[in-house]
Amino acid sequence: MRRTLLLALLLSGAAASAQAQDLLIRGGPIYTGAEAAPTAEVVQVRDGRIVYVGAAAGVPTADRLEVIDLKGAALFPGFTDGHAHLDGIGWRELTLNLEGSASVAEAMARLTSWAEAHPEGPIIGRGWIETHWPEGRFLTRQDLDAAAPGRVVLLGRADGHAVVASTAALAAAGITADTAAPSGGEILKDEGGQPTGMLVDAAEQLVGGLMPQADPAALREAYRAGFRVEAEYGWTGLHFMSAPWRDVPLMEAMAEAGEAPIRVYNSITPDGAAELIAGGPRSVADGRIITRAIKYYADGALGSRGAALFEPYADRPDTTGLMQITEQEIVPLYQAALKGGIQVATHAIGDRGNASVAEWYQQALAGVAPSERPNGADVRWRIEHAQILRPSDYHWFADLPIIASMQPSHAIGDLHFAPARLGDERLDGAYAWHSLADLGVIVVGGSDAPVERGAPLIEFYAAVARRDLQGFQGPDWRPEEAVDRETALKMFTLWPAYASFREDELGTIEVGKRADFTAFSVDLMTAPEADIPKGRAVLTVVDGVVVHRAE
């Protein structure tokens, strides 16, 4: 509650300041992202728009001008997280967070502490990942039962594509040794044929009814927490992937009430597809919340072996992963979106998943003439993750074209297990940011938070260093796929603007564009790579309003 009050005070004060004064920002390196003039000494803002970028000597005179001294911090166009889950970011602040657990024992100790502090109701948590644990295994129901006896416990793996359920949770959901997994899902079982508690991809739906239904006040608090975290990190915008259709009115109401400090571009869950297509793109609060895309799933995640591969997993040759949808199901949905002027984004991680989506996109586009599409040929369809590709399939992204929405931090986390999952040969097309960008493909950078921490400095570092936060890269982790800093800057500024149809308003610091800025304590363009994630956001400005300023 105290955090919410502080945010409200910050926003109300910032809004009043923005209404009364224009801004002049100076006192540190300013990187515009514009090719004609990539750096500047000062930026001036009037009524939420940029009116001057250039040398200090040329600043126009203005009354009631608020001067912001960067004190050596580096200013950039507003950073946008091109793939994140705003609700999950908020709930991470309000539920059991297992992120960073170093072992099964530590994760279960956290669960025990949480259970003691919250003696009533189901226990919901997320963030564990076993790939670096000394035990080297998934959690099981027995682990949960010992840590929180008799409790209904559901703990999501960090990637969001698997959940482990306690024995009480399995019983409450009616899951037994005889329960059949739904299409696109898997119920892991032990040697005796009993469920281990691990439910992968579509099988997570079996325990969906046990998730506590958030009351409106709790849900609004979760979104407030998500907005606060993102603004403090320095994000001025976020592409909300799998935004629950039922939550869109709430986000819109929050924006209208001044409770949405950063921009949100919604790609909704498929349950709202028909209604969004019928009504067309939505925008409120001068574009603060825009809803004009639908997110579909083609396959699962690599860590839980749900990503669909052409050949079996190197470390589990009995499976090639899980497809979540078929060509017969998805192509008509894509074509309906085309005719309704709605953008499509599809989750695909494995090489088979990505190739399938590219072929489905081609088929859908061929079946709907540009004259039947409100956007004509400019559809800007996306593949979310585009994580494991066959190099022979790169051409799809350039030819159709397809926007590759990728999360650099996945590569610096996955490097510890992806070689075991894939074998060396398939790493040639893994996390191939540089190869795709070289082909002229728009590569949108994101974080996938709360799957990852969600900090822009970690994402930028991962893109340019391709090493984990300790500097480790691993043998032949394709270092040539790291990108230069200018490309990384585009991945988090101009290219997300393009992917949301707003490159004329956002993505660079140029006269006439909206005044969205992010300032970091570290100069991303000159600092040693290892120093980048050690910095912090010191200033976040959206539409000329300061929504975060570090003390």
Side-chain angles (χ1 to χ4, degrees):
M1 183 62 69
R2 183 174 180 270
R3 287 179 173 177
T4 302
L5 178 60
L6 288 174
L7 177 60
L9 291 173
L10 174 63
L11 293 179
S12 63
S17 174
Q19 292 170 359
Q21 295 175 304
D22 297 328
L23 301 177
L24 180 70
I25 305 176
R26 67 185 185 191
I30 296 173
Y31 296 95
T32 68
E35 293 185 5
T39 61
E41 292 181 323
V42 298
V43 176
Q44 187 174 352
V45 175
R46 182 182 304 125
D47 297 327
R49 295 275 181 171
I50 299 167
V51 296
Y52 178 79
V53 183
V59 175
T61 57
D63 297 328
R64 302 175 64 82
L65 188 67
E66 178 184 359
V67 178
I68 295 178
D69 185 353
L70 294 170
K71 298 180 181 178
L75 188 76
F76 300 90
F79 268 51
T80 295
D81 191 334
H83 180 118
H85 307 278
L86 184 61
D87 54 348
I89 294 166
W91 285 118
R92 179 173 61 185
E93 300 295 303
L94 305 177
T95 56
L96 173 58
N97 183 3
L98 296 175
E99 182 180 278
S101 300
S103 63
V104 170
E106 182 183 335
M108 293 302 93
R110 293 192 195 181
L111 171 57
T112 297
S113 296
W114 184 274
E116 292 172 350
H118 303 82
E120 302 293 333
I123 299 173
I124 309 299
R126 180 171 172 169
W128 64 271
I129 185 166
E130 82 295 338
T131 53
H132 62 286
W133 286 351
E135 296 91 348
R137 64 172 177 83
F138 291 143
L139 291 174
T140 68
R141 60 185 174 89
Q142 288 86 356
D143 295 322
L144 276 56
D145 295 345
R151 299 290 295 275
V152 170
V153 183
L154 298 170
L155 302 180
R157 193 174 182 274
D159 61 14
H161 287 265
V163 63
V164 61
S166 65
T167 299
L170 293 176
I175 299 172
T176 70
D178 298 324
T179 302
S183 176
E186 185 177 13
I187 301 172
L188 299 191
K189 297 180 179 180
D190 60 23
E191 293 179 355
Q194 296 298 316
T196 68
M198 277 290 290
L199 308 171
V200 181
D201 286 314
E204 292 180 286
Q205 300 167 8
L206 298 175
V207 294
L210 302 180
M211 296 289 185
Q213 298 299 313
D215 62 66
L219 184 60
R220 196 175 191 120
E221 186 65 23
Y223 275 106
R224 285 194 185 110
F227 277 123
R228 174 184 55 80
V229 168
E230 296 301 273
E232 289 177 355
Y233 270 142
W235 299 116
T236 62
L238 177 148
H239 292 189
F240 188 176
M241 289 295 136
S242 298
W245 175 243
R246 66 180 182 276
D247 292 355
V248 170
L250 171 60
M251 286 183 277
E252 293 176 339
M254 292 179 73
E256 295 284 10
E259 295 183 74
I262 70 169
R263 304 185 188 284
V264 177
Y265 183 78
N266 284 322
S267 185
I268 65 163
T269 48
D271 60 297
E275 191 170 347
L276 180 62
I277 290 169
R282 299 161 62 121
S283 177
V284 303
D286 193 26
R288 185 59 56 95
I289 308 290
I290 293 176
T291 306
R292 66 171 296 175
I294 305 165
K295 164 85 175 297
Y296 293 101
Y297 281 84
D299 66 354
L302 187 66
S304 51
R305 299 185 184 87
L309 304 177
F310 281 106
E311 301 296 331
Y313 278 79
D315 60 354
R316 192 180 149 192
D318 63 318
T319 184
T320 59
L322 301 166
M323 290 295 291
Q324 299 294 307
I325 202 161
T326 67
E327 174 185 329
Q328 292 72 27
E329 293 170 319
I330 196 63
V331 170
L333 299 177
Y334 288 164
Q335 292 178 330
L338 264 179
K339 294 176 182 178
I342 301 300
Q343 188 184 32
V344 165
T346 307
H347 165 114
I349 288 182
D351 53 12
R352 178 162 59 101
N354 277 281
S356 297
V357 173
E359 291 170 359
W360 298 341
Y361 279 0
Q362 182 188 50
Q363 183 178 341
L365 290 164
V368 180
S371 60
E372 299 179 76
R373 314 171 196 166
N375 297 327
D378 190 18
V379 298
R380 305 191 190 186
W381 280 6
R382 307 163 51 138
I383 289 182
E384 303 304 313
H385 307 304
Q387 201 163 302
I388 313 300
L389 307 173
R390 297 181 301 186
S392 60
D393 287 330
Y394 291 165
H395 74 93
W396 289 110
F397 291 83
D399 294 347
L400 282 180
I402 300 169
I403 293 170
S405 174
M406 307 176 79
Q407 299 75 50
S409 59
H410 286 337
I412 67 171
D414 293 7
L415 70 86
H416 295 283
F417 68 86
R421 295 282 193 275
L422 299 170
D424 183 72
E425 184 177 348
R426 280 184 289 200
L427 296 181
D428 282 345
Y431 319 92
W433 321 309
H434 190 281
S435 291
L436 291 172
D438 266 3
L439 290 174
V441 175
I442 298 295
V443 180
V444 172
S447 75
D448 206 10
V451 174
E452 304 287 353
R453 170 69 345 221
L457 293 178
I458 292 177
E459 298 300 332
F460 193 96
Y461 163 81
V464 300
R466 204 173 174 88
R467 298 175 180 273
D468 72 12
L469 294 176
Q470 288 70 48
F472 175 77
Q473 188 171 69
D476 200 20
W477 187 240
R478 308 308 192 265
E480 68 277 6
E481 288 295 351
V483 298
D484 60 58
R485 300 187 191 212
E486 289 74 18
T487 299
L489 183 60
K490 290 178 182 178
M491 288 171 66
F492 295 99
T493 56
L494 181 60
W495 288 347
Y498 177 87
S500 58
F501 298 87
R502 303 196 76 180
E503 70 275 18
D504 290 340
E505 290 189 296
L506 305 170
T508 58
I509 300 176
E510 296 181 271
V511 171
K513 287 196 171 185
R514 291 178 180 263
D516 286 13
F517 312 118
T518 305
F520 296 110
S521 61
V522 60
D523 187 334
L524 304 182
M525 311 308 283
T526 63
E529 288 177 353
D531 289 346
I532 292 173
K534 298 175 184 176
R536 61 174 181 152
V538 298
L539 183 71
T540 311
V541 179
V542 180
D543 274 334
V545 175
V546 176
V547 298
H548 166 69
R549 184 183 295 180
E551 295 298 330

